[in-house]
């Protein structure tokens, strides 16, 4: 409740308390439940009047000095039960409690609050700081799965997503992408919202807007004009929508211009060089980590479809032969297939596997020491000392392994990763 009070205050509602007062009320309200003592027989003994006064004093002492002055309380004096000072303290306590009850009663329900935010997004200039502030608050509300559903129900979703195609600052588009990713990531049916048309007059969906915006931002990134924050947020939103959702993945595969795959490759290539030559955290290394986390997850899904799902369906005994089940599963085209060097669509595309090899070959050698003719592991190398590089390397190694595992012509994708690198892979897994 007190967190909501702070939220209302930060958004400029008519609540009369300042942030410090609301924050301090948490401690005060915890202390407001006067302790009941138990005797040895388990019977409860009501607190004495002095114990009540002492507890009230302790609770009020958590408030800021300005609030104590407003209530007329000198918290440093002695309060003896029955004295005028104790009675004044009791009255201040009662006033404070009544104010808090009134504040809580005046709070909006989340759905009403999100409706007000939706109205603000509709009727306010996108360059107004109030828009960005509202989106930040909205994202925190959408983290709750019930709030996310309610936001979609009150038709806030198309209003939010349409801001991606508007003449909005990148900061606003970043906040929109963050809201989208947070809203859909926890539920399959919520992920499908990204496939819905934004209105009856257009067939444009949130997924199309996000992939097109990502492609535009990626192109500007390639040209050196920045926009990394927008790329990162859009990758988060799209990744949240595609993970574990074959419907969304099929929609991306159906894009005739392959805007998502092309944008992803542009970002990967443009950020790779800086990542490999800089051992510290950079925006480029963060982008690489996001990209390879997604690729690794999508390839893991392919393994499940081709192995785990085959085993589960076969054991169910539905009358089909193993060969029939396997053929049906192999006809499923997950998005992870686009990262294989020999996709089922034919041809050869070594872009992603070569990039994985480049990451491994660059990050691995500095982590190996030679001691008495035997490879040993350097604990202080950048792979372990930099969390970003460590996460990137782990995802790239896993993706590289799965590319080999999922490719029928596996022998053709061996690129001569030597035994010392294989050793490091196993050592890193132990950490």
């Amino acid at each position: 409740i007190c967190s909501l009070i702070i939220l209302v205050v930060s958004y400029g509602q008519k609540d009369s308390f300042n942030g410090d007062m609301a924050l301090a009320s948490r401690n005060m309200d915890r202390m407001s439940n006067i302790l009941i003592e138990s005797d040895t027989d388990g019977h409860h003994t009501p607190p004495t009047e002095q114990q009540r006064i002492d507890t009230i004093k302790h609770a009020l002492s958590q408030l800021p000095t300005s609030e104590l002055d407003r209530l007329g309380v000198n918290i440093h004096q002695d309060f003896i039960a029955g004295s005028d000072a104790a009675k004044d303290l009791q009255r201040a306590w009662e006033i404070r409690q009544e104010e808090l009850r009134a504040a809580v009663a005046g709070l909006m329900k989340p759905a009403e609050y999100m409706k007000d935010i939706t109205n603000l997004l509709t009727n306010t200039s996108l360059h107004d700081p109030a828009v960005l502030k509202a989106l930040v608050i909205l994202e925190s509300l959408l983290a709750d799965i019930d709030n996310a559903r309610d936001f979609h129900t009150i038709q806030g979703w198309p209003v939010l997503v349409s801001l991606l195609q508007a003449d909005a600052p990148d900061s606003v588009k970043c906040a929109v992408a963050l809201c989208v990713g947070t809203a859909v990531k926890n539920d399959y049916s919520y992920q499908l919202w990204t496939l819905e048309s934004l209105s009856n007059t257009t067939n444009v969906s949130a997924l199309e807007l996000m992939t097109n915006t990502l492609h535009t931002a990626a192109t500007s990134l390639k040209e050196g004009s920045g926009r990394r924050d927008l790329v990162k947020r859009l990758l988060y939103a799209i990744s949240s929508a595609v993970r574990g959702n074959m419907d969304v993945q099929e929609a991306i595969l159906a894009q005739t211009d392959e805007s998502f795959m092309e944008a992803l490759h542009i970002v990967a290539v443009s950020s790779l060089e800086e990542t490999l030559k800089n051992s510290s955290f950079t925006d480029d290394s963060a982008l690489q980590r996001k990209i390879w986390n997604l690729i690794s997850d999508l390839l893991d899904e392919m393994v499940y479809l081709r192995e785990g799902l085959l085993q589960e369906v076969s054991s169910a005994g539905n009358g089909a032969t193993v060969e029939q089940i396997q053929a049906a599963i192999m006809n499923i085209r997950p998005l992870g297939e686009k990262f294989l060097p020999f996709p089922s669509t034919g041809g050869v595309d070594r872009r992603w596997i070569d990039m994985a090899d480049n990451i491994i070959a660059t990050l691995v050698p500095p982590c190996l020491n030679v001691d008495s003719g035997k490879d040993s592991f350097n604990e202080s190398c950048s792979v372990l000392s930099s969390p970003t590089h460590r996460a990137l390397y782990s995802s790239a190694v896993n993706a590289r392994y799965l590319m080999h595992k999922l490719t029928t012509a596996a022998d053709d994708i061996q690129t001569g990763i030597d035994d010392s690198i294989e050793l490091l892979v196993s050592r890193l897994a132990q950490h």
Side-chain angles (χ1 to χ4, degrees), residues 381-395:
C381 72
S382 62
V383 171
L384 290 184
S385 60
S386 167
T388 298
H389 281 84
R390 179 172 173 172
L392 164 60
Y393 175 75
S394 298
S395 296

Side-chain angles (χ1 to χ4, degrees), residues 60-297:
L60 290 175
S61 69
Q62 309 301 306
L63 293 175
T65 301
S66 59
E67 183 60 17
L68 291 173
D69 291 342
R70 185 183 71 84
L71 293 170
V73 175
N74 178 9
I75 205 66
H76 301 293
Q77 73 179 93
D78 294 328
F79 296 94
I80 307 301
S83 67
D84 290 342
K87 293 177 182 178
D88 291 341
L89 184 72
Q90 179 71 37
R91 279 192 292 270
W93 169 264
E94 292 170 354
I95 291 172
R96 172 69 175 174
Q97 291 300 297
E98 185 58 36
E99 289 174 338
L100 287 176
R101 280 191 288 270
V104 171
L107 286 175
M108 295 183 185
K109 294 180 180 178
E112 296 172 345
Y113 197 32
M114 290 187 292
K115 194 170 186 65
D116 278 0
I117 291 177
T118 302
N119 291 335
L120 183 147
L121 297 179
T122 304
N123 301 310
T124 307
S125 167
L126 298 181
H127 295 271
D128 191 319
V131 170
L132 186 57
K133 190 174 184 179
L135 288 170
V136 171
I137 295 173
L138 178 62
E139 194 270 335
S140 68
L141 291 171
L142 294 177
D144 179 275
I145 193 169
D146 293 327
N147 287 344
R149 182 196 61 238
D150 291 344
F151 182 69
H152 184 264
T153 301
I154 64 175
Q155 299 300 309
W157 179 257
V159 173
L160 171 69
V161 176
S162 64
L163 299 184
L164 288 174
Q165 63 182 159
D167 181 22
D170 276 3
S171 58
V172 169
K173 291 183 179 181
C174 283
V176 170
L178 189 60
C179 286
V180 171
T182 299
V184 306
K185 67 181 179 181
N186 292 320
D187 191 281
Y188 194 98
S189 61
Y190 291 11
Q191 292 172 314
L192 297 180
W193 296 343
T194 62
L195 303 182
E196 297 175 352
S197 297
L198 298 184
S199 70
N200 295 329
T201 59
T202 178
N203 291 325
V204 177
S205 67
L207 183 64
E208 290 175 286
L209 275 181
M210 289 191 296
T211 53
N212 290 338
T213 306
L214 176 64
H215 190 275
T216 301
T219 302
S220 67
L221 189 68
K222 180 181 179 182
E223 296 169 353
S225 61
R227 309 195 81 182
R228 282 174 173 77
D229 286 341
L230 180 57
V231 170
K232 282 192 294 184
R233 295 306 188 197
L234 288 167
L235 281 176
Y236 164 70
I238 297 172
S239 298
S240 296
V242 302
R243 279 187 168 95
N245 195 307
M246 287 302 303
D247 293 290
V248 179
Q249 292 183 27
E250 287 177 3
I252 288 183
L253 287 169
Q255 293 178 337
T256 55
D257 58 358
E258 294 197 346
S259 58
F260 173 69
M261 290 302 302
E262 183 180 346
L264 195 66
H265 189 259
I266 291 173
V267 175
V269 171
S270 63
S271 60
L272 182 60
E273 182 178 354
E274 287 299 318
T275 297
L276 296 182
K277 72 180 184 181
N278 194 332
S279 61
S280 61
F281 178 84
T282 65
D283 288 337
D284 291 302
S285 56
L287 282 174
Q288 286 289 319
R289 180 185 61 188
K290 288 181 179 294
I291 290 170
W292 287 97
N293 280 347
L294 175 60
I295 294 173
S296 180
D297 288 347

